[in-house]
Amino acid sequence: MSESDAVLDRVFRTERARVLAALIRGLGDFELAEDALSEALATALGRWPTDGVPRDPAAWLVTVARRVAVDRIRRARVGEAKYEQVARAAGDQVSAVDELPDLLSDGLGRLGDDRLSLLFTCCHPALGRDAQVALTLQAVAGLTAAQIARAFLVGEATMAQRLVRAKRKIRDAGIRFAVPDDAALPDRLSGALAVIYLVFNEGYLATTGDRLLRPELAAEAIRLSKLLATLMPDEPEPLGLVALLLLQDSRRDTRTGPGGDLVLLEDQDRTRWDRAQIDEGLGLVETALRRGRPGPYQLQAAIAAVHASSPTAGDTDWPQIVALYDELIRRHPSPVVALNRAVAVAMVEGPQRGLELLAGIEGLEQYRLFHAALGDLLLRQDRTAEAVAAYRRARRLATNKAECRFLDGRLSALGE
Amino acid sequence: MRYMLLIYGCERPDAGTPAHAAKIAAVRAFTQQCEDDGVLLASDPLHSTETATTVRVRDGDTLMTDGPFAETAEQLGGYFILDCADLDEALQYAARCPMAAEGSVEVRPVLERKPAALQVSE
């Protein structure tokens, strides 16, 4: 790779989102901004080796991309004007062609940091969750449509269509390219956090497919969460999310055995947990919680921190985990949190109490992990026949192959 | 930008009942608010779908059907056209519209005759 190619590669990796965000801010159109940016990159590939690398490569790319975009708009306008001349000759009432907007004075010249606006626009609630996730991965994280399609096991054409539709809705429906105002911010922030967590979970606990782990998605989610935490330094929840992801990801190498089989938390080799990630995560949980505004991600991170700090499964401070779940359920009640709390309570007070709590949870009839937890608790009471029925139910609902194999193993160990 | 708020699936209390009066008052208050904010361009309730006639022309023949275009439970009952800065503002009005609490409000951007300045990528 020549020196200028290496610079371009580095600029593209580190500055792409900022350059794209600046272009979208100025042009108000995702597709146009992306097309103009790729043309600018092609120009850079051709010119930098002979002309030398510009002093501010990112600003250079924005300037060239902007010129490309202005050119396209102008050409489209000329086409339109011709069309309107024909229409006028035919006697139609038509309006005059707009003046070309003054793109040079609308902020494109100054390359600020609009990545936060970009992220919030991608996660706008008027877009479906699938579209939010795909758009965030493409526009903010820089993945290609093909990569995103592979990661989510959908066809490339389907994914490309999903992305185009989302970008056109942003443009045509007038979704503002901006950080939400104070009134809307809490809801919008929790939406953006949910998108990043969903990306991570799809990487960490893929719901379908052969592999349990898709490390590239988990790594992207960690990068996105760090970006959000950096861009919103006053908010503790993004920090909580970074901590949660780091602590969960620290166990990635031990979550599966040699054959790709699932290994439960209590059976994992804790010496192989990623110490650096744990230390970083533990530090961030503390920093976040010290702000005194706990939220769901900080509390989940605190729970993950208890596990990460236990040298062995037997050392786990379950009463502390129950206390954290109590706080979580008080602030953000949900059936899944209630399930996790019930499992933690069963570790402190025994399986009978856990079963009583499970019996009171509604809405998880189709959730595989509910039935797996039920099976575990029944088994601890030696109620084998009922445990088998529960595992079978979990097996029917499971779609990830590693989980299916795990449950098959459980069932065959019980003589099924 | 102009946005059309399409009101679907709302009950119409019988005239003269307290429920009817309350509903009229709520809708009037919302309409007045839109007016005061300077965003209201137009708004009307529609007669019920029992009064609808659907027209299709096929092969030069005009076909008329007694009834609405689609026989669904949630029917179009009225509309507002608002001039808002962006989708967020239009969505906020939709959420404040009293009919959003019982039926559904679909928010559609109006396709302006002059294409948006940047609609050139196709």
Side-chain angles (χ1 to χ4, degrees):
Chain A
M1 196 186 277
S2 74
E3 194 207 321
S4 67
D5 285 359
V7 173
L8 187 59
D9 190 55
R10 183 178 55 73
V11 170
F12 187 69
R13 264 188 296 109
T14 57
E15 304 275 26
R16 191 204 53 85
R18 205 158 68 94
V19 168
L20 181 65
L23 287 167
I24 297 172
R25 145 93 58 228
L27 299 168
D29 186 327
F30 267 73
E31 286 180 275
L32 179 60
E34 285 171 339
D35 288 353
L37 178 55
S38 38
E39 213 168 307
L41 285 167
T43 308
L45 273 175
R47 296 237 314 250
W48 291 7
T50 46
D51 298 2
V53 174
R55 204 153 39 122
D56 186 344
W60 188 95
L61 285 173
V62 171
T63 307
V64 172
R66 181 186 63 206
R67 216 173 282 148
V68 168
V70 169
D71 219 49
R72 285 205 191 184
I73 293 168
R74 195 168 283 139
R75 264 185 283 139
R77 295 271 136 174
V78 170
E80 219 170 81
K82 279 186 185 147
Y83 165 80
E84 298 211 355
Q85 271 172 7
V86 173
R88 203 173 284 126
D92 286 358
Q93 272 303 104
V94 289
S95 49
V97 179
D98 268 1
E99 284 304 301
L100 192 65
D102 185 3
L103 290 174
L104 300 176
S105 65
D106 67 3
L108 262 187
R110 294 171 289 108
L111 176 61
D113 192 342
D114 286 319
R115 285 177 297 177
L116 200 53
S117 302
L118 184 62
L119 181 63
F120 276 115
T121 304
C122 292
C123 298
H124 195 280
L127 303 171
R129 189 63 100 196
D130 286 353
Q132 294 174 13
V133 167
L135 204 53
T136 301
L137 283 173
Q138 189 186 47
V140 188
L143 269 59
T144 65
Q147 286 173 317
I148 304 166
R150 268 201 305 280
F152 287 90
L153 304 171
V154 303
E156 217 173 293
T158 307
M159 183 54 74
Q161 201 183 10
R162 188 180 293 170
L163 285 161
V164 165
R165 191 191 155 272
K167 289 168 200 168
R168 293 193 180 156
K169 179 166 183 183
I170 289 170
R171 179 191 66 196
D172 296 338
I175 290 178
R176 190 166 36 142
F177 186 79
V179 176
D181 54 31
D182 287 351
L185 190 63
D187 273 354
R188 297 286 306 278
L189 176 58
S190 77
L193 293 166
V195 165
I196 297 174
Y197 196 35
L198 205 141
V199 170
F200 179 81
N201 276 326
E202 196 55 36
Y204 190 68
L205 224 191
T207 45
T208 51
D210 209 0
R211 280 180 304 158
L212 191 62
L213 292 162
R214 297 200 195 108
E216 62 281 10
L217 276 186
E220 280 313 332
I222 291 174
R223 268 195 286 279
L224 285 168
S225 68
K226 285 184 172 174
L227 175 67
L228 185 55
T230 310
L231 296 173
M232 303 192 86
D234 296 335
E235 294 288 337
E237 276 292 89
L239 271 186
L241 179 64
V242 178
L244 175 63
L245 302 191
L246 285 170
L247 291 170
Q248 291 192 355
D249 196 54
S250 72
R251 308 199 285 259
R252 71 181 175 274
D253 292 342
T254 62
R255 289 182 65 241
T256 46
D261 287 345
L262 191 64
V263 181
L264 293 181
L265 183 61
E266 66 219 52
D267 302 323
Q268 291 171 11
D269 175 3
R270 295 184 181 221
T271 61
R272 286 172 55 226
W273 285 359
D274 187 326
R275 210 53 244 178
Q277 276 191 325
I278 289 176
D279 290 340
E280 191 184 352
L282 293 178
L284 289 174
V285 182
E286 245 177 71
T287 309
L289 286 173
R290 222 178 287 132
R291 309 256 176 94
R293 287 155 59 206
Y297 293 102
Q298 294 170 75
L299 289 166
Q300 289 177 81
I303 292 165
V306 176
H307 288 300
S309 316
S310 313
T312 70
D315 294 324
T316 308
D317 186 351
W318 287 106
Q320 172 68 15
I321 290 178
V322 170
L324 288 164
Y325 272 123
D326 286 344
E327 188 66 17
L328 187 56
I329 212 161
R330 194 174 65 78
R331 289 163 182 274
H332 304 276
S334 86
V336 172
V337 174
L339 167 64
N340 292 333
R341 181 180 170 275
V343 170
V345 170
M347 295 304 290
V348 180
E349 300 180 33
Q352 185 53 40
R353 182 73 193 116
L355 287 169
E356 286 163 20
L357 290 171
L358 284 194
I361 298 174
E362 276 172 35
L364 296 184
E365 294 75 19
Q366 301 300 315
Y367 188 52
R368 64 199 191 284
L369 298 181
F370 175 84
H371 298 284
L374 185 63
D376 293 346
L377 294 177
L378 288 166
L379 200 58
R380 277 169 59 191
Q381 290 198 323
D382 294 320
R383 291 157 71 179
T384 313
E386 290 163 89
V388 165
Y391 284 133
R392 277 209 188 122
R393 189 89 204 263
R395 175 64 183 81
R396 271 200 301 277
L397 294 167
T399 47
N400 178 292
K401 284 187 184 162
E403 278 186 9
C404 292
R405 278 199 304 273
F406 177 81
L407 290 163
D408 286 339
R410 271 279 148 109
L411 284 165
S412 71
L414 293 170
E416 288 299 309
Chain B
M1 271 183 80
R2 289 184 296 160
Y3 293 88
M4 189 164 190
L5 276 50
L6 300 131
I7 314 294
Y8 285 96
C10 287
E11 294 297 320
R12 293 201 178 196
D14 292 331
T17 60
H20 184 258
K23 179 139 193 187
I24 298 277
V27 175
R28 277 211 183 121
F30 173 70
T31 311
Q32 190 60 48
Q33 186 63 56
C34 293
E35 180 114 50
D36 293 347
D37 294 349
V39 297
L40 185 70
L41 295 175
S43 87
D44 287 296
L46 301 175
H47 277 290
S48 79
T49 52
E50 285 161 30
T51 63
T53 312
T54 303
V55 179
R56 297 176 184 84
V57 177
R58 297 289 182 273
D59 300 324
D61 290 335
T62 302
L63 311 168
M64 289 189 209
T65 318
D66 177 11
F69 157 65
E71 289 284 1
T72 59
E74 299 216 315
Q75 289 291 348
L76 182 65
Y79 70 92
F80 290 81
I81 297 178
L82 305 182
D83 186 14
C84 294
D86 55 36
L87 181 65
D88 282 341
E89 195 186 358
L91 296 176
Q92 277 166 21
Y93 279 104
R96 265 186 260 157
C97 170
M99 285 79 90
E102 49 172 291
S104 309
V105 179
E106 180 177 324
V107 179
R108 297 274 294 271
V110 173
L111 178 57
E112 304 291 349
R113 260 197 70 77
K114 284 177 277 180
L118 304 154
Q119 200 165 338
V120 296
S121 43
E122 278 95 78

